[in-house]
């Protein structure tokens, strides 16, 4: 693991001796006067702000967040400190299974452990145009698992997305390691993004003058679950190979596919490619153990190249030598082959190796997951530096 004693590099656009001190009268110069009425601007009708609001809800929401009959009248104009206090209060009120321990941003050139400050600019091209790529590495015993493989993948994704790097590879690596160190996280994950950067709201990134790097350390409080799961065939169209092989932030198809599974009482949906062969899950690879005891996995030419899936292939070679597997095949997999397999599994950094016991209405094998358990145990055991 790299030394953590050196200071973080500054983005190339930031001169090390440059500081900006604004006169007092400029700090609030962009604020709308408090006495400026929205009604004078013609934005409030007799039904309230922008007319009567209609609130849509997701299928899993118990109730709407705002009463659709609520009249919104006075929207406060906040100072920077007031907005920050509201951000802080909002964070304090959020209760979830994940904790955000540290964030790095090349925009402010440092690491923060205050969740209220874990924000990115709205004009970042990644936010409003989806022009960004990301990756995730597991944190095990305070160390990043297979970090260099994940780092190489995001750099490849950035190249395919035509995103320049704010730093060279070694400095990006050093920043991410220091972010994990500052978080003091022992078990969790590091997620990091490269984007075209902030600039304006145009479609072209030509006025995004500096690419950006963001990273966050996540600690998940959920206990790891290794029980067998159900999957369904996704009706959401799969991304074309040009985009499926890039780990970009455009995860709308993935989210819709996951939601479709949950609406059908399943854990995940399985995508088929345009030729009808088994492709992948919404955020994980898929593999099978045939009746002939071959480990069968779809090729990576049309789907994302999974770092954990590649690790499983390496571990499986040991099971072949032990006689527990007959062989390893990377090939097209038909739905019929998949559903007739002895075992089926989902593979990813979030799920490790998760056994699938039912696909649509078909029980997989006898519902057991013997080899899948062996691969999961081996994967956990080999999580070394």
């Amino acid at each position: 693991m790299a030394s953590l004693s050196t200071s973080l590099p500054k983005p190339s656009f930031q001169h090390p001796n440059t500081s900006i001190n604004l006169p007092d009268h400029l700090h609030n110069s962009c604020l709308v006067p408090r006495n400026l009425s929205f009604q004078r601007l013609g934005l409030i009708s007799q039904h309230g702000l922008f007319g009567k609001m209609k609130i849509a809800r997701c299928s899993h929401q118990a109730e709407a967040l705002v009463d659709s009959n609520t009249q919104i009248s006075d929207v406060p104009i906040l100072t920077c400190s007031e907005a920050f206090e509201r951000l802080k209060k909002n964070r304090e009120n959020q209760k979830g299974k994940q904790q955000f321990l540290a964030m790095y941003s090349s925009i402010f050139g440092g690491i923060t452990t205050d969740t209220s400050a874990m924000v990115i600019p709205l004009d970042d091209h990644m936010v409003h145009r989806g022009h960004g790529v990301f990756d995730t590495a597991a944190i095990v015993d305070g160390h990043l698992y297979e970090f260099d493989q994940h780092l190489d993948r995001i750099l490849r994704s950035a190249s395919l997305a035509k995103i320049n790097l704010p730093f060279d590879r070694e400095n990006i690596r050093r920043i991410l390691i220091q972010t994990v160190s500052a978080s003091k996280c022992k078990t969790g994950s590091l997620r990091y993004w490269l984007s075209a950067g902030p600039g304006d709201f145009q479609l072209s990134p030509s006025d995004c003058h500096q690419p950006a790097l963001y990273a966050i350390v996540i600690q998940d409080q959920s206990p790891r679950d290794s029980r067998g799961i159900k999957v369904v065939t996704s009706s959401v169209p799969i991304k074309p190979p040009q985009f499926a092989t890039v780990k970009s932030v455009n995860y709308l198809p993935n989210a819709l596919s996951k939601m479709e599974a949950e609406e059908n009482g399943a854990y995940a949906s399985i995508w088929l490619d345009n030729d009808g062969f088994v492709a992948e899950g919404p955020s994980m690879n898929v593999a099978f153990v045939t009746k002939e005891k071959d480990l069968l996995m779809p090729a990576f030419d049309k789907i994302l190249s999974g770092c954990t899936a590649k690790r499983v292939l390496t571990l499986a070679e040991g099971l072949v030598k032990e006689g527990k597997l007959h062989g390893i095949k990377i090939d097209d997999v038909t739905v019929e082959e998949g559903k007739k397999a002895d075992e089926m599994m989902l593979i990813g950094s979030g799920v490790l190796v998760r056994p699938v016991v039912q696909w649509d209405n078909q029980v997989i094998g006898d519902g057991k997951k013997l080899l899948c358990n062996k691969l999961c145990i081996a994967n956990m055991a080999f999580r070394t530096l």
Side-chain angles (χ1 to χ4, degrees):
M1 190 165 174
S3 171
L4 305 180
S5 60
T6 53
S7 59
L8 294 177
K10 297 183 179 180
S12 57
F13 69 94
Q14 182 181 358
H15 192 282
N17 297 321
T18 300
S19 62
I20 300 176
N21 295 311
L22 293 178
D24 291 341
H25 70 280
L26 290 182
H27 282 289
N28 295 323
S29 62
C30 62
L31 299 179
V32 179
R34 292 184 181 274
N35 60 356
L36 180 59
S37 166
F38 277 90
Q39 190 147 11
R40 284 172 53 195
L41 295 175
L43 298 178
I44 296 182
S45 70
Q46 59 180 339
H47 299 296
L49 182 64
F50 308 113
K52 209 164 188 176
M53 295 184 66
K54 300 292 184 181
I55 306 297
R57 71 178 74 179
C58 296
S59 59
H60 63 273
Q61 284 182 311
E63 59 182 25
L65 299 179
V66 179
D67 188 337
S68 59
N69 295 319
T70 299
Q71 299 286 324
I72 298 180
S73 54
D74 294 330
V75 179
I77 308 300
L78 306 175
T79 64
C80 180
S81 59
E82 289 171 335
F84 188 81
E85 283 303 314
R86 292 196 177 202
L87 279 173
K88 195 174 187 68
K89 184 176 181 181
N90 183 60
R91 281 293 185 190
E92 291 171 351
N93 291 335
Q94 289 181 3
K95 305 296 181 184
K97 296 178 181 179
Q98 292 186 334
Q99 288 185 327
F100 312 133
L101 303 183
M103 176 194 175
Y104 169 84
S105 169
S106 63
I107 300 302
F108 50 73
I111 299 168
T112 180
T113 57
D114 187 336
T115 55
S116 306
M118 295 180 185
V119 295
I120 63 176
L122 195 58
D123 62 335
D124 192 299
H125 218 237
M126 180 171 68
V127 175
H128 63 89
R129 297 297 180 184
H131 196 178
V133 295
F134 79 102
D135 218 300
T136 306
I139 302 170
V140 182
D141 295 328
H143 301 301
L144 286 162
Y145 176 61
E146 299 222 322
F147 180 41
D148 287 307
Q149 292 89 325
H150 286 275
L151 185 54
D152 288 339
R153 185 169 65 177
I154 193 175
L155 296 182
R156 175 185 177 275
S157 293
S159 175
L160 293 174
K162 297 185 177 181
I163 296 173
N164 295 324
L165 301 182
F167 313 103
D168 61 27
R169 184 189 188 280
E170 188 54 38
N171 274 315
I172 291 175
R173 186 178 189 275
R174 187 158 55 90
I175 287 169
L176 297 178
I177 290 174
Q178 288 191 41
T179 304
V180 174
S181 178
S183 75
K184 297 180 174 59
C185 181
K186 296 299 181 184
T187 303
S189 60
L190 171 71
R191 184 163 296 181
Y192 40 103
W193 296 260
L194 287 166
S195 85
D200 56 28
F201 290 92
Q202 301 297 325
L203 180 60
S204 169
S206 58
D207 284 331
C208 298
H209 302 298
Q210 179 67 25
L213 169 67
Y214 306 104
I216 192 165
V217 177
I218 305 166
Q219 187 174 58
D220 200 320
Q221 307 297 317
S222 304
R224 187 166 295 280
D225 193 347
S226 59
R227 292 176 298 175
I229 54 174
K230 173 186 175 183
V231 298
V232 295
T233 303
S234 179
S235 66
V236 178
I238 190 172
K239 299 175 188 175
Q242 180 181 357
F243 300 109
T245 55
V246 177
K247 199 170 178 67
S248 76
V249 297
N250 183 2
Y251 258 45
L252 179 59
N254 308 63
L256 292 176
S257 179
K258 176 68 170 175
M259 293 169 68
E260 178 183 38
E262 292 173 345
E263 290 164 359
N264 287 278
Y267 179 82
S269 293
I270 301 300
W271 266 320
L272 308 181
D273 66 22
N274 292 331
D275 296 317
F277 293 111
V278 179
E280 60 183 341
S283 61
M284 64 285 287
N285 294 99
V286 60
F288 305 88
V289 178
T290 68
K291 295 188 183 302
E292 294 74 30
K293 297 304 177 187
D294 288 320
L295 179 66
L296 179 59
M297 191 180 294
F300 297 126
D301 56 334
K302 299 178 183 178
I303 58 176
L304 188 68
S305 177
C307 294
T308 307
K310 289 182 175 180
R311 181 61 171 162
V312 165
L313 290 173
T314 300
L315 296 172
E317 293 174 1
L319 296 180
V320 173
K321 293 177 181 178
E322 294 174 12
K324 296 173 182 175
L325 272 178
H326 176 264
I328 301 170
K329 294 183 179 180
I330 309 297
D331 203 353
D332 291 333
V333 183
T334 66
V335 174
E336 182 180 10
E337 284 178 303
K339 290 187 176 182
K340 286 184 177 179
D342 269 2
E343 293 188 50
M344 178 179 180
M345 61 198 79
L346 299 181
I347 304 170
S349 59
V351 296
L352 293 183
V353 182
R354 189 77 187 267
V356 176
V357 295
Q358 182 177 337
W359 182 1
D360 293 330
N361 295 322
Q362 176 70 48
V363 175
I364 303 299
D366 58 5
K368 297 179 181 179
K369 58 254 188 195
L370 299 178
L371 187 71
C372 181
N373 283 340
K374 288 184 176 69
L375 284 169
C376 187
I377 292 169
N379 201 2
M380 299 270 302
F382 276 82
R383 285 193 162 197
T384 57
L385 286 178

